[in-house]
Amino acid sequence: MEMAQSIPTYFDKHPNWHAELDYLRNLLLSTELVETLKWGIPTYTIDNKNVVGIGAFKTYVGLWFFQGVFLTDHAMKLINAQEGTTKGMRQWRFQSIEEMDASLILSYLTEAIQNQKDGKEIKAEKKQVPMPKLLQKALKNDTQLRTAFEQLTSGKQKEFKQYITEAKREETKHKRLEKIMPMILSGTGLNDNYR
């Protein structure tokens, strides 16, 4: 099975954390969560909804509770890694396997699973991206381009609009427009290679 091979491959990229990652994975697999690989990291779901993920970094390994804001956190283990930005996700970081208390971790996992079953979730706010004038003009002047753009998913349209809007210089905006026009015509999204 591809998934079973993908997770160990992720672990192999972090040899310094192999024991900790295996420990956490075995705890997660002992629950009713389903193991998947999303964004290149092991992610555990229930009813196709993300509940928790495992990640390894230079100085720690961690669990990411996607809707961790709803957890009781009676042991005060969870942090918000991006205060003011992250609304629902909470992290639990470990520097060694000795810090990992199976019964405590399982109590958090059990609560996270139940919260997901109960439908507790913070929905991501969808930001509207205005149509850049340069792209708007190109779409107006080229019916084939406009038709192709309209057939793209709203997510792909948003990526293209942001790509041009984020450029500071007018010259860069024009170069970006030239780059994305063939992509729009072929129905290719700006970030399709990362999906």
Side-chain angles (χ1 to χ4, degrees):
M1 179 180 178
E2 184 182 337
M3 190 58 58
Q5 294 171 350
S6 299
I7 304 296
T9 300
Y10 174 82
F11 288 3
D12 289 343
K13 292 178 185 176
H14 306 282
N16 294 343
W17 297 110
H18 214 274
E20 289 81 1
L21 291 168
D22 277 339
Y23 186 87
L24 292 172
R25 182 183 190 208
N26 288 329
L27 282 176
L28 289 158
L29 292 175
S30 73
T31 70
E32 60 188 295
L33 293 169
V34 175
E35 184 176 70
T36 63
L37 194 69
K38 295 185 179 183
W39 313 285
I41 64 163
T43 305
Y44 299 81
T45 66
I46 190 126
D47 298 327
N48 293 317
K49 295 280 193 172
N50 300 332
V51 177
V52 64
I54 300 176
F57 295 88
K58 281 185 181 178
T59 59
Y60 66 91
V61 294
L63 292 173
W64 279 257
F65 292 93
F66 287 89
Q67 299 297 329
V69 70
F70 296 109
L71 292 171
T72 308
D73 196 16
H74 49 81
M76 306 299 290
K77 298 292 186 180
L78 304 178
I79 62 166
N80 183 342
Q82 294 180 316
E83 273 310 323
T85 302
T86 304
K87 303 228 185 305
M89 188 177 286
R90 295 295 180 267
Q91 298 178 10
W92 186 349
R93 296 178 178 180
F94 306 92
Q95 272 82 39
S96 70
I97 199 165
E98 289 77 26
E99 294 178 20
M100 297 177 180
D101 178 338
S103 61
L104 186 59
I105 294 169
L106 284 170
S107 72
Y108 277 72
L109 292 172
T110 302
E111 184 182 0
I113 291 167
Q114 190 58 51
N115 286 346
Q116 186 59 60
K117 288 179 178 179
D118 293 344
K120 293 182 179 180
E121 87 181 91
I122 291 180
K123 302 234 187 229
E125 295 176 19
K126 294 195 176 189
K127 295 179 183 174
Q128 294 296 326
V129 179
M131 178 67 77
K133 289 179 183 170
L134 190 63
L135 180 58
Q136 187 174 21
K137 183 178 177 183
L139 296 174
K140 183 179 179 183
N141 294 336
D142 185 336
T143 56
Q144 187 180 3
L145 185 66
R146 182 175 61 242
T147 301
F149 186 81
E150 289 170 353
Q151 291 175 348
L152 294 172
T153 64
S154 60
K156 288 181 181 181
Q157 290 178 7
K158 180 180 175 182
E159 288 172 358
F160 287 125
K161 291 190 287 187
Q162 280 181 317
Y163 185 63
I164 292 176
T165 302
E166 289 170 352
K168 303 284 187 245
R169 296 174 50 221
E170 208 57 36
E171 179 184 341
T172 306
K173 290 181 183 192
H174 283 279
K175 285 181 181 178
R176 288 184 175 191
L177 178 63
E178 287 176 29
K179 175 184 174 181
I180 67 171
M181 285 173 64
M183 297 173 82
I184 293 170
L185 290 169
S186 69
T188 306
L190 191 62
N191 297 311
D192 283 0
N193 290 340
Y194 304 105
R195 288 190 176 93

